[in-house]
Amino acid sequence: MYAVCVTSVLVVKADIKAYTPVGQLFVFELQRETFQNEFEPFLKHYGRVYNDPMLFKCNMQSFPDLPGWLRFTQRHHYDNGFLYGTPLAQGKSMIEITVINKRSYDSFRDRLIITIDPPAKRMPYQAEFFIPLREIEKVLPSTVQEEIRQDMMRMWKTDRLDFVNITSALDRGGRVPLPLAGHYEGVYVKVGSDQYFSECLLRLQTAEHRRQCEAGGRAKIPGDCKVCSYPGNCVTWCKSTLIDLSRPVIPPPAPTMGPGILDAGGVYDPPESPPPRDFLPDYIVTVIVPLALAIILCLLLAYIMCCRREGVYRRDGKTPDIQLYHHHTIHGNTSELRSMAGCRGVPPPLSTLSMFNARTRETAPLFQTDSPSIPLILAQQEINTDTLPRK
């Protein structure tokens, strides 16, 4: 066991190398089983292998993201990951692959070197088909690609057919499907060949086919084009297009010469000052009109607050005399009681006297009564006397 562990540590992992030509689909599958053996090689030696969930993270070396032509997808941690895309220029891309074991949280890093070679085949005739009952993870495996390729070879009536690109419908602006059975994202599959289109594919360019698609119905395709060995590989003809790259691309028309474009050899004489502009309408709209509305609102508020008040005299005139007499009588009696309370000569109660004079620093006696022989609490004179009432 010690020897196996030392060997697994000393083994240097070589870079993964892949090659792809320009203009053709590149797919690289990250298999969980391969990286599972990298994490725990000694367990495989003793016949014990876990089925751990794996998380793949891919980015270009020294960069946080992938190249523009390359994409990565992995639906679940128990599924394999896929790097796919179509390179458009020659070169070399170094991809760092980080694998995280979600059971033990061990990590492993590998490097994939993709060498992009010159175009190997010339494919001037290309066709893009929409497969609605597929998802991108289910189309990228080589076995499924071969099934789709065989069906399209029968439609095209040629065996010289290669994949150009595979794109999820979500990358084309499609809606995310509901997480229910029977709902799929949809996939766009583009294939190319050096052979011209078959007769059934040329019907996609007819006016009758466009009319049926614009009407919202399903276009009728003859039986020789309805070839799909698996129902999930059937295409939607109204979203399928043909691309002919054999014809020269017509350049866009030159811009029309107008008053803002100088003629050849012309001299532009800028004006000395801009044309005059009347700012009075803008000033009226932005300043005068809001100010007038504010003044009107202030006058209306002042009239409501000042001119619409009832007043004391008008209120007293509407009040009955008996009610006014009672009101004045209550006020007079209250004033008289307050004046009588202010001139009383009796000593203040004990509760209002302070126990300590802050000015003279004298302490008042604890009990102040008229007769010093009678305590304030009778129970203090005879301790064992029961003061509760008895029958």
Side-chain angles (χ1 to χ4, degrees):
M1 180 177 180
Y2 177 76
V4 172
C5 294
V6 172
T7 304
S8 62
V9 172
L10 295 179
V11 169
V12 178
K13 180 65 178 179
D15 294 334
I16 305 173
K17 297 182 180 181
Y19 301 89
T20 181
V22 174
Q24 293 188 19
L25 178 66
F26 168 78
V27 178
F28 183 80
E29 184 176 2
L30 303 175
Q31 298 182 358
R32 294 172 48 252
E33 294 78 6
T34 302
F35 294 96
Q36 179 71 54
N37 299 332
E38 298 293 342
F39 282 115
E40 298 169 344
F42 59 91
L43 292 180
K44 184 179 179 182
H45 178 76
Y46 288 98
R48 182 180 180 184
V49 179
Y50 290 102
N51 185 23
D52 297 339
M54 298 287 180
L55 175 62
F56 297 96
K57 294 183 179 180
C58 302
N59 61 282
M60 191 164 59
Q61 188 175 13
S62 303
F63 289 90
D65 206 349
L66 291 171
W69 64 272
L70 194 61
R71 293 182 179 180
F72 173 75
T73 180
Q74 182 188 13
R75 183 59 59 97
H76 303 290
H77 294 164
Y78 287 95
D79 296 339
N80 295 336
F82 290 93
L83 284 166
Y84 67 100
T86 303
L88 302 177
Q90 300 183 34
K92 183 178 293 185
S93 298
M94 297 185 180
I95 309 300
E96 291 183 351
I97 303 173
T98 304
V99 189
I100 301 176
N101 189 323
K102 301 300 289 184
R103 180 186 63 86
S104 60
Y105 289 96
D106 295 334
S107 60
F108 178 79
R109 179 170 293 180
D110 207 341
R111 188 171 65 170
L112 171 65
I113 300 178
I114 305 175
T115 303
I116 305 174
D117 299 328
K121 298 180 181 179
R122 184 174 178 272
M123 296 180 290
Y125 306 106
Q126 299 179 5
E128 187 177 58
F129 303 97
F130 178 67
I131 304 177
L133 301 180
R134 282 291 190 179
E135 296 178 347
I136 188 66
E137 296 86 358
K138 305 300 181 182
V139 176
L140 293 177
S142 57
T143 56
V144 181
Q145 290 187 39
E146 185 61 26
E147 293 177 1
I148 298 175
R149 182 172 174 272
Q150 292 296 330
D151 294 341
M152 294 182 178
M153 286 170 53
R154 286 192 288 269
M155 289 189 296
W156 206 305
K157 295 182 179 179
T158 180
D159 56 350
R160 293 183 292 183
L161 200 65
D162 295 287
F163 285 97
V164 177
N165 192 15
I166 296 179
T167 309
S168 173
L170 300 182
D171 299 332
R172 298 286 190 90
R175 299 182 61 181
V176 178
L178 296 174
L180 301 175
H183 293 76
Y184 303 93
E185 300 172 359
V187 177
Y188 286 92
V189 177
K190 180 184 288 188
V191 294
S193 176
D194 57 352
Q195 296 291 328
Y196 193 65
F197 306 109
S198 61
E199 295 182 0
C200 69
L201 293 179
L202 290 175
R203 292 189 178 91
L204 297 175
Q205 298 179 342
T206 59
E208 181 181 359
H209 175 77
R210 298 194 191 98
R211 195 182 314 112
Q212 292 176 357
C213 293
E214 292 175 358
R218 301 183 64 178
K220 297 180 180 180
I221 300 297
D224 54 350
C225 284
K226 292 182 179 180
V227 179
C228 51
S229 57
Y230 182 74
N233 297 337
C234 295
V235 302
T236 299
W237 294 103
C238 288
K239 293 185 179 181
S240 303
T241 56
L242 302 181
I243 304 171
D244 189 357
L245 301 179
S246 62
R247 301 175 184 177
V249 179
I250 302 176
T256 305
M257 301 294 291
I261 302 177
L262 295 176
D263 296 330
V267 178
Y268 177 66
D269 185 13
E272 297 180 357
S273 61
R277 180 180 176 184
D278 187 11
F279 292 96
L280 180 60
D282 299 338
Y283 178 77
I284 293 175
V285 172
T286 57
V287 178
I288 302 300
V289 173
L291 183 61
L293 292 177
I295 294 174
I296 293 173
L297 292 176
C298 291
L299 294 176
L300 181 61
L301 183 61
Y303 171 75
I304 294 173
M305 297 295 295
C306 300
C307 300
R308 297 288 297 175
R309 297 192 64 176
E310 190 176 34
V312 178
Y313 297 101
R314 186 178 298 178
R315 184 191 61 188
D316 294 345
K318 294 182 179 181
T319 306
D321 295 338
I322 185 66
Q323 187 175 352
L324 290 176
Y325 177 75
H326 284 209
H327 179 71
H328 291 300
T329 302
I330 293 172
H331 276 276
N333 295 338
T334 304
S335 301
E336 184 178 0
L337 290 174
R338 288 179 178 177
S339 61
M340 291 173 63
C343 62
R344 288 186 299 179
V346 297
L350 295 177
S351 61
T352 61
L353 296 178
S354 59
M355 300 299 295
F356 177 76
N357 193 338
R359 184 174 60 84
T360 62
R361 297 186 178 278
E362 295 179 357
T363 305
L366 185 61
F367 302 107
Q368 294 183 359
T369 59
D370 295 338
S371 178
S373 62
I374 303 175
L376 183 61
I377 301 176
L378 296 179
Q380 294 178 355
Q381 185 177 7
E382 298 180 4
I383 300 178
N384 298 325
T385 304
D386 187 5
T387 58
L388 298 177
R390 303 297 181 184
K391 293 184 180 180

